[in-house]
Amino acid sequence: MIPSLLPTYSRAPLRFVRGHGSWLETEDGRRFVDLGAGIAVNILGHAAPELVSALTDQAGKLWHVSNLYDIPLQQKLADRLVELTFADTVFLTNSGTESCELAVKMARKYWHEKGTPERNVILTFEGAFHGRSSAGIAASGGEKMVGGFAPILEGFRKLGFGDLDALETEIRKADVAALLIEPVQGEAGIRPVPEEDLKRLRALCDETGVLLILDEVQSGVGRTGRLFAHELAGITPDIMMVAKGIGGGFPLGGVLATAEAASGMTLGTHGTTYGGNPLACSVALAVLDKVGEPAFLDAVAAKGEALTKRLEALVEAHPGVFTAVRGPGLMIGLVCTVPNTEVVAACYDTGVIVIPAGNNVVRLLPALNIGEDDLAEGLARIDAAAKRIEENAA
Ligand SMILES: *Cc1c(COP(=O)(O)O)cnc(C)c1O
């Protein structure tokens, strides 16, 4: 018999009932250092006082009105995002997947309006993850994503990760509308695109007119020590997808774009019921009040560097468990020698939450405001987990 919850997830038997800062507590009273933050979502930790008050204050006033009306908080959030980024305009959604849908529509509509609707192919990269909708799985590719869901949405062409030679040729083809890439691949195991490659991608897009779409759903909103990861390479996209951290745990996403890239999206061409409702926007404004501060971002970068050094020592101490550390800021991948599922499970046993990813990696995506003591405790627990794995292997 099918379970009452559609069984698409293999769930760990952990029942969290309370969260505070970088700690999670289960029903049976166990406490965990949370270095996963709901997969890069709870960026100010659990029950952050400023988010609780933003949410509850707004909850007593107005939760939802339709986008048929002016929503001052939504306007304020859009203005803030425009002020903080390359973007001229913003559309708010509820998730990364929805942001992917709009980014793809926007790129295709752009070329349609230019009178070249045959320019509709989106170039993507091996290992990409852009969501689970029809466009999202087509853009992500891979049998695990698309298997059994044919017919798959057309107009996506995949290139090897880091294969700039192939890109040089592909991007010049007459049917290419846009290039869609995560500046740091998340699900594939924290694989950063080298800064030089990002610069080259930007130059190729400038040369060909192809729109550069960056998926910063995981890498964005302070995660890398910059507000958005592309700032590390000194480039800007034409279109950018955000979600995850922007709502600090409240579902919210968005598409940010230049006026030019967004020029096809005229009256009536897109919509949403929930996207950008007052509750979500009040929380996101409180998130940006914190994360938009240069001093906050500098602290994330410094924490990331210090954490990476300590993890390098951990890798050296446990060569039978880990082989490498990679990733910018607080978006860190630990490449494992033993199966990553074993590492995640051992970490559960020692009381620390880490997140599995592709290419046998475990991800550390802690709250950006995690304190030194919590970070040290988390590391000690990962160290203890590695020791257990070694003892069991011996
Ligand atoms: C999580 C994620 C998505 C999908 O976001 P949802 O909110 O789960 O729909 C898309 N792209 C990237 C890079 C992600 O990490």
Side-chain angles (χ1 to χ4, degrees):
M1 209 175 66
I2 193 164
S4 57
L5 265 177
L6 190 72
T8 63
Y9 273 96
S10 157
R11 295 169 189 272
L14 294 170
R15 300 181 166 186
F16 300 114
V17 289
R18 201 166 291 110
H20 193 263
S22 286
W23 289 85
L24 279 168
E25 196 183 313
T26 54
E27 209 172 55
D28 53 5
R30 283 177 293 159
R31 295 182 78 235
F32 292 79
V33 181
D34 182 11
L35 301 182
I39 317 188
V41 168
N42 305 98
I43 57 172
L44 296 181
H46 298 281
E50 54 275 67
L51 301 193
V52 171
S53 65
L55 183 73
T56 51
D57 286 355
Q58 189 56 38
K61 293 182 198 157
L62 182 66
W63 295 20
H64 172 85
V65 291
S66 165
N67 280 305
L68 293 171
Y69 315 107
D70 269 341
I71 302 176
L73 284 165
Q74 189 184 113
Q75 183 62 57
K76 196 171 165 194
L77 178 57
D79 289 345
R80 190 89 178 96
L81 286 167
V82 164
E83 181 193 321
L84 287 168
T85 69
F86 74 96
D88 301 312
T89 189
V90 178
F91 185 95
L92 294 163
T93 69
N94 306 288
S95 67
T97 300
E98 283 174 67
S99 298
C100 178
E101 289 293 320
L102 174 55
V104 168
K105 282 177 70 175
M106 187 181 279
R108 288 179 172 167
K109 189 70 164 35
Y110 174 81
W111 290 111
H112 178 90
E113 295 300 304
K114 297 271 174 212
T116 49
E118 66 280 6
R119 278 188 89 156
N120 55 38
V121 169
I122 318 275
L123 300 179
T124 63
F125 292 86
E126 178 268 319
F129 181 82
H130 301 298
R132 297 287 200 145
S133 63
S134 294
I137 61 174
S140 305
E143 195 47 28
K144 189 179 155 223
M145 296 290 284
V146 300
F149 297 115
I152 304 307
L153 190 64
E154 289 174 33
F156 294 88
R157 201 171 291 149
K158 177 163 298 188
L159 307 175
F161 181 77
D163 191 349
L164 279 254
D165 291 341
L167 180 67
E168 294 269 356
T169 316
E170 287 298 326
I171 202 167
R172 294 195 166 81
K173 293 192 172 156
D175 60 359
V176 175
L179 179 74
L180 167 57
I181 187 168
E182 301 156 78
V184 184
Q185 282 192 342
E187 297 308 304
I190 314 296
R191 297 201 295 189
V193 179
E195 286 175 24
E196 287 318 304
D197 287 9
L198 283 174
K199 289 198 173 92
R200 185 81 196 116
L201 293 183
R202 181 66 266 179
L204 284 168
C205 286
D206 287 342
E207 186 189 324
T208 55
V210 166
L211 297 172
L212 179 59
I213 308 173
L214 292 183
D215 180 346
E216 292 236 27
V217 168
Q218 196 163 145
S219 61
V221 199
R223 177 61 45 198
T224 63
R226 296 296 185 95
L227 192 54
F228 291 99
H230 64 259
E231 296 171 28
L232 291 167
I235 62 152
T236 57
D238 300 295
I239 300 172
M240 178 169 74
M241 299 152 49
V242 299
K244 293 202 164 96
I246 185 122
F250 198 93
L252 183 70
V255 173
L256 282 63
T258 63
E260 174 69 12
S263 58
M265 299 306 294
T266 50
L267 197 64
T269 54
H270 199 64
T272 171
T273 296
Y274 291 122
N277 86 7
L279 266 188
C281 291
S282 66
V283 179
L285 281 163
V287 167
L288 288 181
D289 276 349
K290 270 261 147 116
V291 182
E293 282 298 319
F296 182 91
L297 293 167
D298 289 346
V300 173
K303 244 180 268 185
E305 265 174 47
L307 178 58
T308 299
K309 284 212 182 76
R310 288 150 90 179
L311 287 169
E312 279 163 358
L314 190 86
V315 169
E316 236 172 83
H318 303 288
V321 181
F322 303 115
T323 59
V325 188
R326 64 188 179 212
L330 290 175
M331 186 173 189
I332 298 179
L334 273 171
V335 188
C336 303
T337 22
V338 297
N340 62 351
T341 47
E342 237 176 84
V343 175
V344 171
C347 284
Y348 291 158
D349 289 341
T350 59
V352 56
I353 302 294
V354 296
I355 313 255
N359 293 302
N360 209 33
V361 162
V362 294
R363 276 176 284 180
L364 309 188
L365 305 160
L368 303 182
N369 61 352
I370 187 168
E372 168 52 32
D373 291 354
D374 293 343
L375 214 43
E377 185 59 35
L379 278 169
R381 291 178 182 207
I382 296 175
D383 186 55
K387 283 193 183 114
R388 283 197 191 191
I389 292 169
E390 286 163 345
E391 281 161 19
N392 288 344

